[in-house]
Structure formats: C-alpha cells, structure tokens
C-alpha cells in the first residue's frame, strides 16, 4: 500500500484502496520525516481515535476534524461544518422562536438566527436562515428566505456583525440548488443557481457579486453545466477551477472570471469523466493553489442515516482526482471507502484535509467490521516545487502556528506569502 501501489493518470491509480487491518498491525503508528519522503509517499498512519487524541497536532493538522456526525442542511452545510467551527448548537428544548414550526427548524439555522441575525430582521421582517452558501476565513454568506424569495446575507464572524443583504431573487431556491465561493481577497462572491425546484429557471446560471457594495457585477449563463467551482488561492479574484458537464463529456477548466474564458482545460476527459454511478461532491484547491482536488462518491439513492446497526450497509467508495492547478491535467487518483450516507452526511467525512504548512494531505478510510481498528488515517506528502521560497514556507509553518506568523520580524509581503495570501491580480 502507499504511493508505490498508487496509479498516476495513464497508469492505474489508487493510494488507499485495498487497505486492511494487517497494514495497521504492521505499521500501527507510522511516521516519517519530511526529508525522507518523496511525492505521494505515506508519511503518517494511525487510527482515527489516536488522531483525535493528539496525533493530528503532531502531524501538522492542529484541530483538523476528519469525522462529523452532522447532517447537511440541518447541522452543517456543504461549505460550513458546525463541528469544525467549534460551534455548540442551541438546546432544541429552549423555545426561542415559538412562531416557527419546530419540525422544520434546523440547528444550523437556529444558531445563526439567534446569535447573528438582527432581531428586527428575523422577528419583524421575517427573514429566515436556510443554509450557509459559502464561507471564507471571517465572512459567511447565508441563504435567507422571505416571502418565497431567496436572497443572501453577509456576516462577519470575527466582528460578530451582520453586514447586510444582497442578491434578491424572484423565487425561493432550495438549499441544494445553490453553490457559492468567496474570492481569496474576500471582495467577490460567485454563486451558481441550478435547475432544482419546479419554479427555478430552466438553465443554471451564475451571479458575481461585489461584497463591499453588495451589487451584482455580472450574470453569466455558460454553454455547459457548471457542477462545482472554486477560486484559485494564488489570484485575488480572477481565476476559478470549474468542473463541467457538456455534450462532449465532463472535464475541468481553469477559467478567467471576468471574461469567462478558459485558460487551461483538461485534455484527458476520458480519464476524468466520472462513471454514471459516481457523483461529484466537492472541488477545492490545495493551500498553495498548485493542485485541484475533485471528490466523488458513488451514487446511492438509499439513505443510511437511520440504520440502527452501525456499518450494516456496504461502504461508499470515495475517489479523489488530483489535477494540476496550472494545466488542469489529472495527476493521480486516490480511492478509499467510508461508511457514510452520500446524501446527508457532512462533507468533512469524505473531503481531503490539508496540513497547516500545505505540504501534506490526509484521508480517512473505514475498514470492514471485525478489523482491529475501525477507521484509519493516512497522511501523504504532496509534490513540492523546486523552490527555496516554498521550502522555507513549509519549514516556518511547521515550527510556528499561523496566528504567530504575523508577529515575525519579516516584511508584510513575506508574511502574506507565508499565510498563502493571493500573489497575483
């Protein structure tokens, strides 16, 4: 197991697939030094219990959760995990909004309405929180509903301040129909509206908003179906990675936001095209923007959330395709299994996690019942450029926490580089 058994695209590629407890029995707590490993080498391995007990900090993933029991659009959203944010949900037995039907009241909405939305908006103007559309460092974009109309609210978590509403729509969209991302410089928000719901528009479209003025800057309707997208962290607000569906198949494009022209496309669509029984669940960049991670789960219409006996159903196969952030070329595929409900479980359960220094990625996989451990965490080394600047950043972030980096006696431009701030306009 490990990178030696992995497949680069063009070969067969699977880092984690086929792992069993014998691997853990032979290497119960594997740990290698950064200098002793090459790209996609297994650096660390432990059980999920040991990871939660402190080995996440030792591996360079302080506070990173790899499991959440929250349900999507109830406790968490596709972009905001309540457990990961350290938010304790309000006790549901406390009657705060007696005018609301409790059966339709989600814990996540209750938290934001009670703690962040002004009382006048929620009780008098009847604004209700439906979900979190996107989240970036301090800003949260909320999906608000009022009188069968969808609109969005901007919230500053650090200042605990509601900054206003924007983007009023003519209909109320279901939470599943909205996908959004905030630009790295936190001045733009791109939201995709899909065709879910009987009253929604037939064609999916995108709106680009200015978060400073709350104005709509641009409305776009691409010729292909945009499934997921994410901003490139190296650029302030001008480049996104887009996973698309079109007549020729599926693929990955790197797109300039202003012109919506592709600067690079995946030239090997046949290898990145998901099978009909797989669904794209998430698209994200690595911290430094060098790699794009597309997470896919096998599609299963049956819900396993209410199974009384744990792990009585077959596990979900999760495949993560890793592509170049510069050329969109698919580099490697990672496959593993999780006992999760593909429809309702929080995405934290299957998304890759990145170390603080940005040089490592972690996956957690569930082993079949009867094994010596239930879940196994594996940390792999990401390919690194031959750059002294990059190696210095990794070394510094391995020895200093991000909150202390700002106090280092360095020029502001170097501090921004250490904190993965955008480098290009």
């Amino acid at each position: 197991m490990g990178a030696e058994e992995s497949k680069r695209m063009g070969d067969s590629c699977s880092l984690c697939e086929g792992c069993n407890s014998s691997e853990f029995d032979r290497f119960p707590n594997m740990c290698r030094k950064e200098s002793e490993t090459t790209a996609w080498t297994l650096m660390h391995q432990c059980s999920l219990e040991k990871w939660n007990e402190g080995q996440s900090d030792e591996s360079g993933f302080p506070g990173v959760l790899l499991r959440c029991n929250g349900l999507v659009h109830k406790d968490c959203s596709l972009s905001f995990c309540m457990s990961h944010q350290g938010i304790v949900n309000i006790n549901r037995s406390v009657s705060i909004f007696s005018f609301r039907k409790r059966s339709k009241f989600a814990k996540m909405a209750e938290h934001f309405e009670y703690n962040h939305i002004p009382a006048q908006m929620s009780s008098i103007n009847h604004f209700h929180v439906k979900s979190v559309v996107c989240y970036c460092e301090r800003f949260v974009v909320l999906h608000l509903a009022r009188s069968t109309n969808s609109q969005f609210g901007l919230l500053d978590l650090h200042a605990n301040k509601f900054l206003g509403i924007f983007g009023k729509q003519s209909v109320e969209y279901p939470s599943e129909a909205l996908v959004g991302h905030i630009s790295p410089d936190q001045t733009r928000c791109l939201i995709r509206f899909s065709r879910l719901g009987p009253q929604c528009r037939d064609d999916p479209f995108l709106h680009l908003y200015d978060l400073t003025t709350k104005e709509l800057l641009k409305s776009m309707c691409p010729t292909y179906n945009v499934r997921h997208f994410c901003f490139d962290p190296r650029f302030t607000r001008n480049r996104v990675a887009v996973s698309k569906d079109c007549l020729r198949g599926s693929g990955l494009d790197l797109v300039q936001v202003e012109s919506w022209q592709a600067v690079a496309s995946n030239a090997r669509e046949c290898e990145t095209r998901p099978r009909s029984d797989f669904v794209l669940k998430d698209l994200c960049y690595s911290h430094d923007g060098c790699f794009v991670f597309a997470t896919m789960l096998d599609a299963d219409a049956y819900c396993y959330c209410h199974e009384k006996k744990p792990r009585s159903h077959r596990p979900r196969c999760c495949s993560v395709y890793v592509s170049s952030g510069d050329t969109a070329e698919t580099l490697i595929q990672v496959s593993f299994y999780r006992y999760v409900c593909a429809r309702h479980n929080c995405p934290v359960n299957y998304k890759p996690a990145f170390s603080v220094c940005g040089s490592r990625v972690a996956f957690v996989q569930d082993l079949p019942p009867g094994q010596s451990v239930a879940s196994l965490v594996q940390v792999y080394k990401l390919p690194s450029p031959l750059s002294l600047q990059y190696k210095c950043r990794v070394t510094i972030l391995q020895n200093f926490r991000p909150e202390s980096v700002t106090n280092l006696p360095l020029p502001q431009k170097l501090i921004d580089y250490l904190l993965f701030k955008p480098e290009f306009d």
Side-chain angles (χ1 to χ4, degrees):
M1 202 199 67
E4 293 75 19
E5 295 181 9
S6 70
K7 68 176 182 181
R8 274 56 175 176
M9 292 317 281
D11 306 321
S12 180
C13 156
S14 182
L15 291 181
C16 304
E17 194 172 20
C19 175
N20 52 48
S21 63
S22 61
E23 289 288 337
F24 182 78
D25 294 336
R26 285 190 292 145
F27 308 105
N29 289 292
M30 178 187 296
C31 186
R32 293 181 177 140
K33 295 181 180 180
E34 191 97 20
S35 58
E36 298 175 351
T37 57
T38 57
W40 298 113
T41 299
L42 180 63
M43 296 186 62
H44 184 84
Q45 177 176 273
C46 66
S47 65
L48 184 59
E49 290 73 18
K50 293 292 184 182
W51 178 269
N52 294 332
E53 291 174 2
Q55 292 205 17
S56 60
D57 291 6
E58 299 174 6
S59 305
F61 296 78
V64 173
L65 298 177
L66 294 175
R67 171 162 290 172
C68 175
N69 295 323
L71 300 180
V72 174
H73 303 309
K74 178 182 178 183
D75 308 285
C76 306
S77 79
L78 297 178
S79 61
F80 190 88
C81 174
M82 298 284 280
S83 300
H84 187 73
Q85 298 301 321
I87 295 175
V88 179
N89 294 322
I90 301 173
N91 190 335
R92 289 179 62 87
S93 62
V94 179
S95 179
I96 299 173
F97 302 101
S98 58
F99 58 86
R100 296 288 301 279
K101 291 184 179 181
R102 304 296 297 182
S103 60
K104 296 183 179 180
F105 202 60
K107 291 182 180 180
M108 180 177 60
E110 184 173 356
H111 168 82
F112 283 106
E113 288 191 19
Y114 182 74
N115 291 281
H116 301 288
I117 303 299
Q120 181 181 2
M121 291 187 61
S122 59
S123 60
I124 299 178
N125 295 331
H126 303 293
F127 278 97
H128 305 313
V129 176
K130 298 203 67 175
S131 67
V132 175
V133 179
C134 49
Y135 163 74
C136 179
E137 294 185 10
R138 60 186 298 173
F139 291 117
V140 172
V141 175
L142 299 173
H143 176 205
L144 305 176
R146 178 192 180 192
S147 303
T148 66
N149 297 113
S150 287
Q151 47 197 314
F152 308 103
L154 182 62
L155 178 67
D156 187 338
L157 284 183
H158 290 185
N160 194 19
K161 184 178 181 180
F162 187 78
L163 302 179
I165 59 176
F166 63 95
K168 183 177 179 180
Q169 306 298 314
S170 58
V171 298
E172 181 177 340
Y173 284 87
S175 299
E176 298 85 350
L178 302 174
V179 175
H181 273 274
I182 299 176
S183 63
D185 65 353
Q186 302 179 21
T187 63
R188 300 288 188 270
C189 180
L190 185 62
I191 299 177
R192 185 215 66 186
F193 302 78
S194 70
R195 62 184 71 184
L196 296 176
Q199 301 195 3
C200 299
R201 286 175 49 171
D202 292 335
D203 298 322
F205 61 100
L206 298 103
H207 279 178
L208 181 65
Y209 294 97
D210 187 323
L211 294 182
T212 304
T213 63
K214 314 295 187 303
E215 295 179 353
L216 174 64
L217 298 178
K218 193 172 186 179
S219 179
M220 297 163 285
C221 189
T223 56
Y224 49 81
N225 180 26
V226 176
R227 293 187 292 164
H228 281 275
F229 59 90
C230 56
F231 279 92
D232 190 329
R234 298 170 295 180
F235 295 81
T236 54
R237 54 180 180 266
N238 294 332
R239 182 176 294 186
V240 292
V242 178
S243 176
K244 65 177 183 178
D245 282 333
C246 57
L247 295 177
R248 293 178 297 174
S250 302
L252 179 70
D253 281 357
L254 305 180
V255 178
Q256 291 283 3
V257 176
E258 294 297 332
S259 62
W260 206 256
Q261 296 294 321
V263 296
S265 297
N266 194 321
R268 312 181 78 173
E269 289 183 350
C270 59
E271 294 178 351
T272 61
R273 183 182 307 163
R275 304 197 310 267
S276 59
D277 55 345
F278 272 74
V279 177
L280 179 67
K281 303 294 289 187
D282 183 71
L283 191 71
C284 66
Y285 273 94
S286 58
H287 288 337
D288 57 9
C290 293
F291 305 100
V292 183
F293 290 74
T295 304
M296 299 181 185
L297 283 179
D298 59 342
D300 193 332
Y302 185 73
C303 175
Y304 298 99
C305 297
H306 302 290
E307 292 282 349
K308 295 182 179 180
K309 187 178 179 181
R311 304 197 178 193
S312 59
H313 57 86
R314 70 178 183 87
R316 306 270 72 75
C317 179
C318 181
S319 296
V320 180
Y321 291 84
V322 185
S323 303
S324 168
D326 296 316
T327 64
E329 178 186 2
T330 306
L331 305 174
I332 198 171
Q333 174 196 345
V334 183
S335 296
F336 50 91
Y337 290 93
R338 295 302 311 270
Y339 284 92
V340 297
C341 175
R343 298 176 59 194
H344 300 120
N345 279 142
C346 176
V348 165
N349 291 288
Y350 47 78
K351 290 172 58 175
F354 303 99
S355 63
V356 171
C357 64
S359 65
R360 305 169 186 174
V361 61
F363 304 95
V364 59
Q365 59 175 323
D366 293 331
L367 302 182
Q371 306 290 340
S372 59
V373 292
S375 301
L376 196 62
V377 178
Q378 294 179 318
V379 178
Y380 291 89
K381 182 179 180 179
L382 291 174
S384 58
L386 297 177
S387 166
L388 179 60
Q389 190 179 32
Y390 174 88
K391 295 183 182 300
C392 289
R393 177 168 62 184
V394 170
T395 303
I396 291 174
L397 292 180
Q398 287 176 346
N399 292 277
F400 294 91
R401 288 186 174 271
E403 55 268 21
S404 63
V405 169
T406 55
N407 299 324
L408 295 177
L410 297 172
Q412 186 60 43
K413 192 169 183 179
L414 287 180
I415 291 178
D416 291 344
Y417 176 78
L418 293 176
L419 296 178
F420 300 100
K421 299 294 184 181
E423 301 177 60
F424 311 107
D425 291 332

